[in-house]
Structures are given as C-alpha cells and as structure tokens.
Amino acid sequence: MANEKEEKTLESKFENFFTKSKYIWISLLCIVVVALAIIVTVLSVSSSQKNKAANFLEDEIFAYEKAVSSMDQDTAAKAESDFIANLESYVASKGKNNKTIRVYMTLASKYMEKEDWQKSVDNWQAAASCDKKSYLAGIAEFNSGVCYEQLGDLEKALASYEKAAGNKNFHLIPHALFSQARVLEALSDSEKAVEVYTKIIDTYADDEWANLAKSRIIYLTSEK
C-alpha cells in the first residue's frame, strides 16, 4: 500500500511538472508523450533503481517547482539553470542506461521548451541510446526528428523519423511515418514520399494519419 501511494505521488509530480513546462507547438504532443513515458518508466523500474534514480529526479523537480513558484523572474531563471546543471551532472556521473534515461528525457524536454534545439537533440539521442529497443527510444528518436527539422538538418530528421517508425514498441508509428514522408517531400523526393504515405494507408487504414496521407498522395500525384 505504501509503495502504491509513493508511485501515485511520484506520478503526480512528473505529470504536474510537464504540464507546467510544456512547449506549445508541434512538440506539444511530443512532450505529453514524454510525460506519459516517464510516468510508465517510473512505475516499471525496480525498487532499488527507483530509490537511486527516480528519487533523485523527483527531488530535483520538487525543489525546482518550489523555487520558481516563489521567486522573481531573475532568481527563477537561476533556479532553472541550477536544475538543469544538477541533472547534467547526474547523467555525466551515471552514464547512459535505463536508470538515467528519464533524466536525459527531462533535460531534452527542458531544452526543447527553451528552443535550444541542439542541446535538446543531444539529450534525446542520449536517451535513445540508453535502450535502443525500448519504446522510449522511439519517443526519443521522434523528438530528435522534430529538433533536427528546427536545426534545418532534414537528412538527420529523416533518419530519426525512420528509426521511430521502425521501433515496433513505439505507439505513434503512423505519425512517425507521416513525418518521414513529409520530410521526403521537403527533400524533393516525392516518389519515395508517396511510397511511405501508401504504407500508412495500407497498414494503418483506420488511423487519422491515413486520411492525411491520402490527401498528400492526391496533391503530389496531381502535380505530375
């Protein structure tokens, strides 16, 4: 019973943190997904891991939220800087593994919120490398694609979306495929884009992204 209460409390803190710090744009969905991923991971790791890694992150988020809610703008900015520095120090000392993946994801989300796309993608990529077969890697690769697009590196964005779509445990494969096709359009590879759009329609016919894919095929084929 005590463990259940602790898990619910921790889940609530992560949920509140990401709700307050979410970035309003296309990455909104990404951050919501990240929040859910972090919550699920917290509840699934072993007790010993949770005591060392999850409790660290919980304490840092609690201290940060408390600080920024009661300070002026300048002091709050320093609190945020300290929060990020503490997380970076932690992952630097612990390395890339299933105990630090949530910390990397938190850092990536904070940098995405600040529109520091390079630092954000660096942390998404670090998170993805912690467990490449996990659905969390799919989330990290998808968000990496978003960051690479913002950085203007469409080739890397394409590669990240392909990795996300190829992760069988990722829950938003149709979305990743659509993003992959969209970037192919931007790279002037309409033929390949149509192939990917067709794959969405054939494989995920009942998904909303299939309807959007049909619209893109009509548009691209009408241009010929």
Side-chain angles (χ1 to χ4, degrees), residues 41 45 49 53 90-91 93-104 126-131 136:
T41 307
V45 296
Q49 291 174 330
Y90 185 83
V91 294
S93 65
K94 301 297 182 181
K96 299 173 183 177
N97 51 67
N98 62 0
K99 290 181 285 188
T100 57
I101 187 169
R102 292 175 299 103
V103 183
Y104 279 117
S129 68
C130 288
D131 187 354
L136 295 174

Side-chain angles (χ1 to χ4, degrees), residues 1-63:
M1 184 65 69
N3 287 338
E4 290 180 1
K5 289 182 179 179
E6 288 177 5
E7 288 175 350
K8 289 180 180 179
T9 300
L10 184 55
E11 175 179 344
S12 178
K13 288 182 179 179
F14 281 123
E15 197 168 20
N16 290 336
F17 172 73
F18 280 99
T19 298
K20 293 177 182 177
S21 64
K22 63 187 177 184
Y23 180 69
I24 303 175
W25 181 66
I26 189 172
S27 59
L28 173 60
L29 172 61
C30 307
I31 292 178
V32 171
V33 171
V34 170
L36 294 175
I38 289 176
I39 291 168
V40 172
T41 307
V42 168
L43 300 180
S44 63
V45 296
S46 69
S47 297
S48 60
Q49 291 174 330
K50 187 189 301 183
N51 288 337
K52 294 180 180 179
N55 285 352
F56 162 79
L57 188 52
E58 177 190 12
D59 291 343
E60 287 296 324
I61 290 176
F62 178 78

Side-chain angles (χ1 to χ4, degrees), residues 23 27 30-31 34 88 103-128 140-141 143-148 150-151:
Y23 180 69
S27 59
C30 307
I31 292 178
V34 170
E88 289 180 334
V103 183
Y104 279 117
M105 294 174 84
T106 304
L107 280 168
S109 294
K110 286 302 296 180
Y111 281 124
M112 182 177 274
E113 178 187 344
K114 294 163 72 69
E115 298 186 35
D116 190 332
W117 306 110
Q118 187 59 59
K119 288 185 178 180
S120 181
V121 76
D122 288 345
N123 281 283
W124 286 126
Q125 285 295 288
E141 289 293 357
N143 286 330
S144 290
V146 172
C147 292
Y148 282 132
Q150 289 300 305
L151 290 168

